[in-house]
Amino acid sequence: MSREEELRLNLAEVRARIDKACEAARRDPAEVTLLAVTKTFPASDVRLLHGLGLRDFAENKDQEARAKVADLGDLDANWRMVGRLQRNKARSVLTWADRIDSVDSTRLVDALVAAAAKDGVHRDVLIQVSIDGDTARGGCPVPDLPDLAARIGRSSELRLRGVMAVAPLGRYPGEAFALLKGAVTRLRDDHPDATVISAGMSGDLEDAIAWGSTCVRVGTALLGSRGLTSP
């Protein structure tokens, strides 16, 4: 089986899961974006997925992403940064990411604002939420969400579009995503444009969709478990 056919079959299976989950939740599948997490996989896989109709791709390391995006500059693709971002990489990530989904501190916001202002660019961002409050894996604790959102809102360079979260280890995903939905509902009172809920991955996308996810981040189910660093 060719790599293209493998990806075609995987994509069909993932889309079928999304459709089934949306049907169970009485939602329109068009409300849910499939974000292909292509970290550690070669640019050739992205090109194949693009040929199969995908347009939204995510990376988690700036250096790998910059090389990959440059190699695929002829594609009409949307690129997201979903990994933890160091402040000293703020300016670099702005050169390739259309949206930064892992904003989790005011210090990072300040770095992004300064870099964006210097280069005269604007970017959409998501706040990465730590549902259980354990920030070791990244994320803003739920109680701190309003303050961080307000800081983003005061800038003209960044536009808050919503939140991203990962279900905590050892916790039922449905319970975690229910807590996330509650936090987002409160956030939208002051930030009505924060409509994106990026939640759910290969193993728990059904639970996430049931609780309102508008974007599922899928890597393993789509690309497999053996990634090769792209050149």
Side-chain angles (χ1 to χ4, degrees):
M1 182 185 302
S2 69
R3 180 58 168 165
E4 181 177 9
E5 185 60 23
E6 180 184 4
L7 292 176
R8 187 190 306 276
L9 292 174
N10 289 348
L11 177 58
E13 183 175 341
V14 170
R15 289 204 182 281
R17 288 176 61 189
I18 292 172
D19 289 347
K20 186 176 180 180
C22 286
E23 181 181 7
R26 297 183 179 180
R27 296 181 60 194
D28 183 349
E31 297 174 1
V32 181
T33 298
L34 172 56
L35 182 58
V37 182
T38 51
K39 62 180 183 180
T40 76
F41 286 89
S44 57
D45 279 352
V46 178
R47 192 171 292 279
L48 289 173
L49 288 171
H50 186 275
L52 294 171
L54 285 186
R55 294 295 181 268
D56 298 289
F57 303 94
E59 291 286 324
N60 76 333
K61 291 186 178 180
D62 174 63
Q63 184 175 0
E64 177 186 350
R66 276 189 291 113
K68 195 176 296 184
V69 174
D71 191 23
L72 299 166
D74 58 308
L75 301 184
D76 57 325
N78 305 310
W79 291 96
R80 319 302 191 197
M81 173 60 165
V82 297
R84 296 194 74 174
L85 178 59
Q86 296 176 333
R87 298 191 304 280
N88 63 356
K89 297 289 187 179
R91 193 173 188 186
S92 180
V93 80
L94 290 172
T95 65
W96 63 266
D98 301 297
R99 192 179 74 198
I100 301 167
D101 293 4
S102 50
V103 174
D104 61 359
S105 71
T106 56
R107 296 175 71 188
L108 178 56
V109 169
D110 291 344
L112 288 168
V113 167
K118 183 176 294 186
D119 293 338
V121 299
H122 300 80
R123 286 292 182 272
D124 291 345
V125 300
L126 303 184
I127 294 176
Q128 182 178 352
V129 179
S130 173
I131 299 173
D132 61 357
D134 180 4
T135 58
R137 294 190 300 157
C140 170
V142 173
D144 297 339
L145 189 56
D147 288 342
L148 184 54
R151 174 65 190 91
I152 295 170
R154 289 194 297 270
S155 74
S156 58
E157 292 80 12
L158 305 181
R159 297 174 292 248
L160 180 59
R161 297 306 190 195
V163 301
M164 178 184 80
V166 179
L169 297 173
R171 189 166 192 169
Y172 174 59
E175 178 187 0
F177 295 140
L179 292 172
L180 178 67
K181 184 176 182 179
V184 172
T185 299
R186 295 188 295 274
L187 179 69
R188 288 175 182 165
D189 289 340
D190 295 320
H191 304 274
D193 292 332
T195 58
V196 176
I197 302 177
S198 177
M201 299 188 292
S202 293
D204 57 16
L205 65 87
E206 288 85 359
D207 289 299
I209 289 173
W211 285 101
S213 174
T214 66
C215 176
V216 292
R217 308 182 305 276
V218 180
T220 302
L222 191 59
L223 290 142
S225 57
R226 292 190 301 166
L228 300 174
T229 301
S230 56

